[in-house]
Amino acid sequence: METLLRLALQKSGRLSEASVQLIEACGIHFNRANHRLRCQADNFPLEILYLRDDDIPGYVADGVADVGVVGENVVAEKRRPVEVLERLGFARCRLAIAVPRSTPYDGLADLEGLHIATSYPNLLSDFLRENGIEASIHEISGSVEIAPSIGLADAVCDLVSSGSTLLSNGLKEVETVMRSEAVLIGRPDLPPEKAALLDALRFRIQAVLKAQNFKYILLNAPNEAIDRIVELLPGMKSPTVLPLAESGWSSVHSVVNENDFWEVIENLRAAGAQGILVVPIEKMIV
């Protein structure tokens, strides 16, 4: 019987879509026909389970799934014995405390004695305790942001990405409890054959994630400027320099970190680079 690595994904929502895109970018093909909650990849020994995000840490900890993709906030709240294997860089958000816009707020001391509604009682409790705040916590499973307007709570502690939901419900963000992103989680006791499959999957994921942070660039430059341009373009090891048909000119190929991209491009132009082309990188293996 073929050994399969079981991967738990959130069954719906933006994190689910981004997770599927990541797996597909790893060259793994699967078909979730009729929104089935279980499917198998065509070209990699991987079985995918679609679950509620809150359930994923438990399924991984209990061995029903071998690995899972879930928000870091869920892992921290559920406190199951799982390990964060990879930080995936998408579904970034923050767990924040918000109060009605009409409520004066000068600092943490203003939370003292408040009634706070949240779906994350453990994380909120830790935050309040660490800051010496005595407040009551009302746990609710959804629609947290309406709690103050219906008289259920004085404040809320909820996930925030753009902040538009808070604004539309008359709230203002006052404290950040934690920052979160999607993570790949696993358990340390995988049998050797599944551990080998996990290593292969992580290798692909890492190649995709590295590529997202870099751009491939090609440019033309006069030969007398090559030394200066090479200094500006360290690349993965060193840039590739190829002679052009036109005498005295060369083509230079390299990669640039996304964070440094515009500064490097400006410096290249100042050094004499021309005809600069920028190409996205699909995978990057170092």
Side-chain angles (χ1 to χ4, degrees):
M1 183 176 178
E2 182 185 18
T3 299
L4 297 176
L5 186 72
R6 278 189 165 181
L7 169 65
L9 299 182
Q10 186 173 318
K11 64 181 179 180
S12 61
R14 284 180 294 178
L15 191 148
S16 175
E17 294 170 4
S19 301
V20 169
Q21 290 170 3
L22 173 63
I23 299 304
E24 290 176 338
C26 290
I28 298 173
H29 305 146
F30 56 95
N31 180 22
R32 187 189 179 190
N34 300 319
H35 297 282
R36 290 182 300 170
L37 299 181
R38 179 178 176 182
C39 65
Q40 186 172 332
D42 301 328
N43 59 344
F44 190 88
L46 183 72
E47 184 177 43
I48 298 174
L49 307 178
Y50 290 93
L51 308 170
R52 290 179 65 253
D53 58 342
D54 287 352
D55 294 335
I56 290 176
Y59 273 71
V60 173
D62 293 340
V64 177
D66 302 308
V67 289
V69 175
V70 69
E72 188 177 10
N73 56 292
V74 176
V75 178
E77 174 66 25
K78 295 303 179 182
R79 306 189 176 187
R80 298 303 303 270
V82 296
E83 178 183 1
V84 173
L85 304 175
E86 302 285 348
R87 306 182 70 84
L88 302 177
F90 57 84
R92 287 193 172 101
C93 59
R94 57 196 177 276
L95 183 63
I97 296 174
V99 299
R101 285 203 297 269
S102 60
T103 300
Y105 189 84
D106 296 319
L108 281 165
D110 288 339
L111 297 176
E112 187 73 28
L114 295 188
H115 196 43
I116 306 174
T118 188
S119 300
Y120 297 90
N122 290 327
L123 290 173
L124 177 57
S125 178
D126 288 348
F127 178 82
L128 295 174
R129 184 175 59 253
E130 290 165 5
N131 288 281
I133 303 297
E134 291 286 344
S136 60
I137 297 173
H138 186 88
E139 183 179 358
I140 56 178
S141 59
S143 302
V144 174
E145 62 277 356
I146 70 168
S149 65
I150 62 175
L152 184 63
D154 306 305
V156 302
C157 179
D158 201 12
L159 289 183
V160 179
S161 50
S162 67
S164 59
T165 301
L166 293 181
L167 289 173
S168 65
N169 284 278
L171 302 173
K172 61 183 178 183
E173 185 177 344
V174 294
E175 298 291 342
T176 298
V177 174
M178 77 169 290
R179 297 190 181 276
S180 176
E181 64 182 275
V183 291
L184 178 71
I185 60 172
R187 51 191 175 89
D189 57 345
L190 286 179
E193 61 274 16
K194 288 202 173 191
L197 293 178
L198 175 57
D199 287 343
L201 177 62
R202 291 181 66 183
F203 176 78
R204 296 191 186 196
I205 289 174
Q206 290 164 2
V208 171
L209 296 180
K210 285 187 177 75
Q212 294 173 353
N213 295 323
F214 288 86
K215 299 293 185 185
Y216 188 82
I217 67 170
L218 307 86
L219 59 89
N220 298 330
N223 287 343
E224 61 268 20
I226 292 297
D227 288 345
R228 172 59 182 150
I229 286 173
V230 167
E231 290 177 0
L232 297 170
L233 287 173
M236 294 174 67
K237 289 194 178 294
S238 64
T240 300
V241 180
L242 302 171
L244 293 178
E246 182 176 347
S247 178
W249 284 78
S250 294
S251 175
V252 182
H253 300 206
S254 190
V255 295
V256 176
N257 190 295
E258 183 75 37
N259 295 329
D260 305 323
F261 178 78
W262 288 110
E263 181 181 355
V264 170
I265 292 299
E266 291 169 3
N267 291 335
L268 290 172
R269 292 180 63 205
Q274 299 180 15
I276 302 173
L277 299 179
V278 181
V279 182
I281 302 173
E282 184 176 306
K283 312 283 191 305
M284 188 169 176
I285 299 167
V286 295

